[in-house]
């Protein structure tokens, strides 16, 4: 099941493991991505924390974690190939994985249909 | 350029507004206008200009025509250039200076039959007009040509593309211009620009701008290019941006624009604003200086980042920075103390608490490819 934030992050949840990325809409708004900074394994993050950085030619943007937990992996591919986020924001361009500490936080997020409706109004 | 946003004031539209939107331009607030920041993407647009030709709408810039008695003498009281030495249709870069030598704007001026044509930055054009009006005698007429649009066609194939529409432009050399006719539309075209590439700037009546932009983009070499790529192109080409790399706190020598005070006569007369300070800095070197930086790693270091000395104290600022699409690495311009301005000096930058290593490097980052002619 995939959940979305109003800041255009997504979290894909499988058991208590969440995979976090930014949406295709977000990568399109950012334009050519030239740098991504992902968190290190073991870092504890709280919902809403600035957990990753994504930089386009134009500007730097913070990525806020949609849920709290402990980071188990950052996407190492993005260091050498940040453009992966432009090519496949919903898949290969994921940012980090974490173990959810409070799955109830997911209740406040949007599902795909709601997110699409949200983006359509922007 | 996002910091240029002026959402507080009501934004104006330029003659090509609908044209940009129809072509998929993403419009942003810039210098008080709606302007296209990109079409297909900054990276692709940037590289297209370096290898082919790109059309920029720079109609936000101020086009002024000064005319009247003793114009050269009067204008020389405000800028350090050798105005008298500029021949008909010759073009020159100069700086509008404050009494303390601080830079109020950078500009291009050209001698026309009936006066001096001047192009100034959009963001400060009304300040410039006020400054000129305050300092020039009443006998000098200042005409703000705000019914004219300004287009720039830049890139190694610009001369081919424009030459097909307007025969004869290829005979211009860098920093000269001429009057041309395109299907009955009068054009002023100079061989100049803001990308480091060969190219042209074209002043066209606003109501004919769409037709000309269409005709140019119908050429196979030409695509429309947004402000985003304009910024990355000029950064690679060591062309400072007013309000960022230049401001009233900076002087010509601090800004590494010593060529703007190259006229021996003007230096000897020493009668331009701030001459005493500017000439002293020319002799002794400025205390701080604009330099180019190659930044290690992949993360861009942008405007506002601090330059650190060996003790970690802030001694300077990054004034422009970003990813250089032509080079594939982050680059920046910064003001640093003279002792750190030598090419090859290793320096540290602090951006949002993270320290980046950088090396002072010669500019331009990407060589200029101006067509200067054989003279």
């Amino acid at each position: 099941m995939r959940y979305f934030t109003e800041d255009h992050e997504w979290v894909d949840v499988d058991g208590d493991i969440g995979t976090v990325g930014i949406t295709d809409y977000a990568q399109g708004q950012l334009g050519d991505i030239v740098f991504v900074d992902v968190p290190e394994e073991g870092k504890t993050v709280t919902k809403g924390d600035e957990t990753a950085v994504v930089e386009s030619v134009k500007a730097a943007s913070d990525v806020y974690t949609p849920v709290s937990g402990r980071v188990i992996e950052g996407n190492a591919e993005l260091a050498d190939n940040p453009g992966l986020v432009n090519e496949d924001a919903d898949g290969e361009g994921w940012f980090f994985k974490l173990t959810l500490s409070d799955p109830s936080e997911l209740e406040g997020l949007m599902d795909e249909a709601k997110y699409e409706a949200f983006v359509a109004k922007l | 350029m996002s910091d240029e946003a002026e959402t507080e004031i009501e934004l104006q539209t330029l003659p090509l507004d609908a044209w940009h939107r129809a072509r998929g331009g993403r419009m942003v607030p810039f210098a008080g206008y709606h302007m296209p920041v990109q079409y297909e993407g900054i990276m692709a647009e940037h590289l297209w200009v370096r290898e082919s030709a790109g059309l920029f709408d720079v109609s936000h810039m101020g086009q002024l025509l000064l005319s009247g008695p003793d114009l050269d003498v009067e204008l020389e009281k405000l800028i350090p250039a050798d105005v008298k030495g500029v021949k008909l249709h010759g073009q020159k870069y100069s700086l509008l200076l404050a009494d303390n030598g601080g830079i109020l704007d950078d500009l291009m001026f050209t001698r026309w039959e009936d006066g001096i044509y001047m192009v100034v930055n959009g963001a400060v054009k009304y300040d410039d007009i006020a400054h000129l009006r305050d300092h020039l005698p009443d006998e000098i007429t200042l005409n703000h040509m705000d019914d004219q649009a300004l287009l720039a066609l830049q890139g190694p194939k610009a001369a081919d593309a424009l030459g097909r529409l307007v025969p004869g432009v290829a005979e211009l050399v860098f920093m000269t211009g001429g009057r041309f006719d395109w299907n009955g539309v009068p054009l002023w075209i100079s061989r100049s620009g803001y990308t480091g590439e060969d190219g042209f700037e074209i002043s066209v009546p606003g109501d004919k701008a769409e037709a000309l932009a269409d005709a140019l983009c119908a050429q196979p070499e030409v695509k429309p290019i947004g402000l985003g790529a304009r910024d990355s192109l000029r950064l690679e080409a060591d062309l400072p941006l007013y309000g960022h790399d230049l401001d009233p706190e900076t002087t010509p020598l601090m800004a590494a624009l010593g060529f703007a005070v190259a006229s021996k006569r003007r230096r000897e007369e020493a009668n331009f604003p701030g001459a005493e300070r500017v000439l002293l800095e020319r002799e002794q070197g400025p205390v701080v200086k604009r330099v180019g930086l190659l930044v290690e790693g992949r993360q861009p270091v942008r405007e506002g980042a601090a330059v650190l000395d060996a003790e970690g104290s802030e001694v300077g600022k990054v004034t422009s920075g970003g990813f250089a699409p032509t080079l594939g690495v982050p680059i920046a311009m910064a003001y640093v103390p003279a002792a750190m301005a030598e090419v090859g000096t290793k320096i540290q930058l602090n951006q949002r608490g993270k320290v980046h290593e950088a090396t002072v490097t010669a500019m331009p980052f990407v060589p200029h490819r101006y067509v200067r002619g054989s003279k």
Side-chain angles (χ1 to χ4, degrees):
Chain A
M1 176 78 183
R2 188 169 287 209
Y3 303 85
F4 297 83
T5 72
E6 292 191 356
D7 295 316
H8 310 288
E9 293 97 4
W10 54 261
V11 53
D12 207 70
V13 182
D14 183 8
D16 65 346
I17 304 294
T19 303
V20 176
I22 66 169
T23 66
D24 190 57
Y25 172 85
Q27 72 76 20
Q29 289 294 307
L30 290 169
D32 301 305
I33 290 166
V34 296
F35 176 81
V36 177
D37 191 24
V38 296
E40 285 178 11
E41 181 189 338
K43 187 174 183 181
T44 302
V45 295
T46 304
K47 178 180 170 133
D49 280 356
E50 298 164 2
T51 305
V53 174
V54 55
E55 301 222 12
S56 68
V57 179
K58 225 39 230 106
S61 307
D62 291 314
V63 176
Y64 308 103
T65 181
V67 286
S68 306
R70 191 178 184 83
V71 175
I72 54 173
E73 187 183 357
N75 187 352
E77 281 287 302
L78 299 182
D80 290 328
N81 187 12
L84 208 51
V85 180
N86 291 122
E87 289 159 27
D88 190 10
D90 294 326
E92 294 294 308
W94 59 277
F95 278 47
F96 59 92
K97 296 184 187 206
L98 77 177
T99 310
L100 273 61
S101 58
D102 182 4
S104 73
E105 288 172 346
L106 296 168
E107 289 162 22
L109 302 177
M110 290 178 275
D111 64 16
E112 188 156 5
K114 275 191 185 151
Y115 178 72
E116 278 175 12
F118 170 73
V119 165
K121 281 188 219 144
L122 295 178
Chain B
M1 259 176 275
S2 50
D3 51 346
E4 205 96 0
E6 293 172 25
T7 43
E8 300 295 310
I9 65 166
E10 198 170 327
L11 294 172
Q12 310 283 309
T13 56
L14 290 165
L16 288 178
D17 193 86
W19 188 90
H20 295 306
R21 293 174 197 273
R23 286 182 173 255
R26 184 182 296 170
M27 305 301 275
V28 298
F30 184 80
Y33 296 96
H34 294 282
M35 300 278 292
V37 65
Q38 66 169 65
Y39 299 85
E40 60 177 310
I42 294 172
M43 199 88 84
E45 291 169 33
H46 179 114
L47 298 174
W48 183 263
V49 173
R50 290 268 184 254
E51 68 190 32
S52 189
L55 181 68
F56 301 79
D57 178 15
V58 287
S59 302
H60 63 301
M61 300 188 81
Q63 299 182 68
L64 313 178
L65 178 59
L66 302 169
S67 56
D70 300 321
L71 177 58
D72 291 3
V73 173
E74 295 300 334
L75 188 56
E76 285 194 351
K77 292 176 185 170
L78 304 181
I79 66 177
D82 175 12
V83 179
K84 292 175 187 169
V86 176
K87 299 192 176 97
L88 182 67
H89 295 180
Q91 186 178 25
K92 227 176 175 63
Y93 176 85
S94 194
L95 302 165
L96 202 57
L97 296 180
D99 287 338
N100 66 357
I103 300 172
L104 300 174
D105 198 5
D106 64 340
L107 57 91
M108 293 273 227
F109 71 92
T110 306
R111 184 175 309 282
W112 278 3
E113 291 78 357
D114 51 347
I116 298 272
Y117 166 68
M118 187 181 279
V119 178
V120 302
N121 280 295
V124 288
K125 63 184 175 185
Y126 295 109
D127 296 332
D128 291 354
I129 290 168
H131 180 84
L132 290 166
R133 197 60 283 168
D134 282 352
H135 290 79
L136 292 171
D138 292 345
E139 292 72 30
I140 304 260
T141 303
L142 192 168
N143 177 16
H144 182 194
M145 301 160 64
D146 53 3
D147 48 359
Q148 289 287 113
L150 191 63
L151 305 182
L153 188 70
Q154 300 279 297
K157 296 181 183 170
D160 292 343
L162 184 60
R164 225 171 281 134
L165 299 179
V166 188
V169 292
E171 284 150 40
L172 297 172
V173 295
F174 182 59
M175 298 298 272
T176 66
R179 295 183 189 285
F180 294 86
D181 176 276
W182 173 68
N183 296 340
V185 178
L187 304 177
W188 169 259
I189 300 177
S190 62
R191 199 154 195 171
S192 54
Y194 195 49
T195 60
E197 296 296 330
D198 183 25
F200 302 87
E201 291 172 297
I202 309 164
S203 180
V204 54
D207 59 355
K208 303 287 192 239
E210 274 205 17
L212 181 60
D214 276 337
L216 286 167
C217 284
Q219 307 306 311
E221 299 92 346
V222 181
K223 286 183 181 180
I225 308 294
L227 289 172
R230 182 171 161 84
D231 191 48
S232 52
L233 287 158
R234 68 91 195 165
L235 178 58
E236 288 183 343
D238 180 25
L239 298 169
L241 174 60
Y242 195 79
H244 301 259
D245 310 302
L246 308 176
D247 64 31
E249 304 299 314
T250 61
T251 62
L253 276 296
M254 286 168 66
L257 298 173
F259 67 89
V261 286
S263 163
K264 188 158 177 268
R265 174 179 64 82
R266 294 306 319 274
R267 290 202 307 273
E268 284 172 0
E269 290 173 3
N271 57 357
F272 56 87
E276 194 178 345
R277 175 182 177 192
V278 171
L279 295 174
L280 189 69
E281 287 183 348
R282 191 172 179 277
E283 288 302 310
Q284 304 183 349
V287 177
V288 301
K289 200 176 170 194
R290 183 175 63 91
V291 297
L293 301 174
L294 282 173
V295 180
E296 284 177 30
R298 288 194 66 118
Q299 186 165 20
V301 176
R302 301 177 194 272
E303 181 176 6
V307 175
L308 306 178
D309 66 9
E311 281 75 46
S313 302
E314 179 173 339
V315 291
K317 276 252 189 270
V318 171
T319 52
S320 284
F323 189 79
T326 310
L327 304 174
V329 297
I331 58 172
M333 290 179 189
Y335 279 83
V336 303
M340 296 166 73
E342 281 292 313
V343 168
T345 306
K346 302 274 181 200
I347 66 168
Q348 292 192 317
L349 305 171
N350 181 356
Q351 176 169 257
R352 302 188 297 270
K354 187 169 164 184
V355 174
H356 298 258
E357 306 290 333
T359 307
V360 176
T361 187
M363 290 195 284
F365 297 96
V366 173
H368 294 157
R369 296 197 285 182
Y370 302 138
V371 174
R372 295 183 187 274
S374 52
K375 276 169 266 180

